[in-house]
Structures are given as structure tokens and as C-alpha cells.
Amino acid sequence: MNILEETKYIMNEYDVHPNKRLGQNFLFDEPSLQTIASEVTNEDTVIEIGPGLGTLTAILAEKAKKVIAVEIDSKMVQILQERFKLYDNVEIIQDDILHVDIDKIAPKAKIVANLPYYITTSIITKLLNTNIKDITVLIQKEVAERICAEPGTKKAGAITYFVKYYADSKIVADVPRECFIPSPEVESAVVKITKREERAVKVDNEKLFFEIIKTNFTQRRKTILNSLSGIIDKEMLKNILKECKIEEAARGENLSLEDFAKIANLFEKIKNANN
Ligand code: SAM
């Protein structure tokens, strides 16, 4: 039985109707599955987010020391428990990944997953704030391209800057929509994110730094002066931009990570001096 036949068999056997709301698109393309799992070794503990029917889980279980699979859907959990009952290296947790304390369950794990697309950025943002260093995930191609874009280019968004601050990232493979059952409406890509020991820039107040980036990109058509005047007094902002040598008419997508760090650090300094 090939993986497509196996997927159809399990879906039929358990009367599975993929839940669109939970992003249930099951990957059956063997080369893509192998690419996602390619860097897993027998020394690794792997956290798999959204194991679904267990197709990728089965490949990971052959390669890894341990697989911790976190799945929100009770029907999938029932299938997984039966499918992996004879495996002593597969642990299944029924939970919402956004509620799981990842550093508590396995701080040194690698993350390997075909992510539910509706929460891709929330999951990646969460992972960047844990001790996890190695993330290989299949996601929507457009989001993969945004993550891996160069800051200061049209494709860049807030997530580009968040990821760049913590990590290096690259697209390792494209996965066409025909490789899933059911086919998603979008193309997909495998992205690899590797956390660095050091942050890319020195930031005095990370919360403020992220708030500035986020505010800027939720109003990306506005100039930097107009978008940030919601959180920084306009006259003060004019002075900050002048001192940082950033044009008032620049748009966020024209700015580098260093530019955002300079704005945040100078604003923080002025706030502290005024207190
Ligand atoms: N890994 C399987 C595969 O490659 O075929 C399924 C991937 S499917 C794109 C995403 C999976 O994530 C689904 O099984 C879905 O139920 C699960 N899921 C959705 N939201 C989740 C959440 N918040 N926490 C954990 N799992 C979630």
C-alpha cells in the first residue's frame, strides 16, 4: 500500500471528514514527507505539531529517539493512539499547541510538522520565544516567502523581522497542493528556521521593539511617521527619526532590523530619562 492508499484507507476505516477549520490537509507525497523529516536523527526528541492521521509521525518514529505528537482533535488522537500503541517512542498529547508549555515537555526537541495553516504565525512566534533551536515546518508558501524575505523588501512583513531577530531561515522545498488530501487552496513550502545564540540586533526593550514593528506593519501603507505616531508622540517621533537618519516618509518595508532597533532604543532612552 502506498501512502495515498494508506491515507484513504485510514480515512475510510475511521470515517474521517477533514475539518477545514482545523486546517486538516493530509500530506501523502513521500518525497515531501522525507524532506520534512530529513534532518532527524536517532539522538533527537521531536515535537510534531498536528500529527493528524500519523503519516509524518510514522516516518519520524523510525528516525527519532522520541516523538511527542501534539494534536487538538480528539478523533485524530483516537486514530493515533491505536496506530502507535505498539511504539514505545511515540507519546501523544491531546491539546492546543498554543496552550502547551513547550520548554516544559522537551526544551531540547526539534520541531517537525505539517502545520495547521490558520495559526502558522502564532505557532512560529510562540516557538521563537522558547528554548527550541531547530524548526522544520511545512507551511503556506506565501508565508514561507514572507518569513524568508529580506527586511527592507516588498515581501517583508512583521514576521520577517521577528524571525530575523532570533533566527536564520530558508525555504528547502516547494510542495504543490496536489500532494494533499484534500487539496488546500494555496501552495505550500517547507521552511527551516534555525535559532541563533545571539539576537541579530541589540534591543533594550523587546516588548517595545516588537510593538513598533507590529504597529508599523498593520498599517503598512502609512509612512513611518504616521504609523508610529499612534504609540510615540509625533514631535518626539520626528526627532527620533531625524537622529536615526530615517526619512519621515519612509515605509516600514523600507526599514532594516537595525532601523527598528534604533527607533525602539532611542524611544526607550527618552522615556527612561523623562521618568
Ligand atoms: N501531520 C498531518 C499530515 O502531515 O498529514 C496533518 C497535518 S494538518 C495540515 C494539521 C493538523 O493540525 C491537523 O491534524 C489538525 O487537527 C491539527 N491542529 C489544528 N489546530 C491545532 C492546534 N491548535 N494544536 C494542535 N494541533 C492542531
Side-chain angles (χ1 to χ4, degrees), residues 104-123:
K104 204 163 160 196
I105 61 169
K108 293 198 175 115
K110 286 182 176 169
I111 301 285
V112 180
N114 170 13
L115 288 185
Y117 292 178
Y118 74 105
I119 42 170
T120 302
T121 42
S122 310
I123 293 175

Side-chain angles (χ1 to χ4, degrees), residues 7 19 21-28 33 36 48-57 70-73 76 93 95-99 113-119 123 138 180-181:
T7 305
N19 185 334
R21 201 176 50 81
L22 290 178
Q24 289 178 353
N25 301 95
F26 305 115
L27 180 63
F28 62 81
L33 286 155
I36 303 171
E48 187 193 0
I49 300 166
L53 305 173
T55 315
L56 180 59
T57 323
V70 182
E71 172 60 59
I72 198 169
D73 184 343
M76 297 296 138
I93 297 177
D95 208 340
D96 178 340
I97 190 63
L98 297 177
H99 297 159
N114 170 13
L115 288 185
Y117 292 178
Y118 74 105
I119 42 170
I123 293 175
L138 180 59
F180 300 84
I181 182 167

Side-chain angles (χ1 to χ4, degrees), residues 109-160:
K110 286 182 176 169
I111 301 285
V112 180
N114 170 13
L115 288 185
Y117 292 178
Y118 74 105
I119 42 170
T120 302
T121 42
S122 310
I123 293 175
I124 290 177
T125 309
K126 175 181 171 123
L127 294 174
L128 290 171
N129 283 298
T130 66
N131 291 322
I132 296 288
K133 290 201 169 60
D134 211 295
I135 304 167
T136 307
V137 281
L138 180 59
I139 60 176
Q140 191 177 333
K141 188 172 176 185
E142 198 189 320
V143 180
E145 287 177 344
R146 198 168 323 128
I147 286 174
C148 300
E150 275 307 309
T153 62
K154 270 247 157 346
K155 279 198 172 160
I159 190 79
T160 313

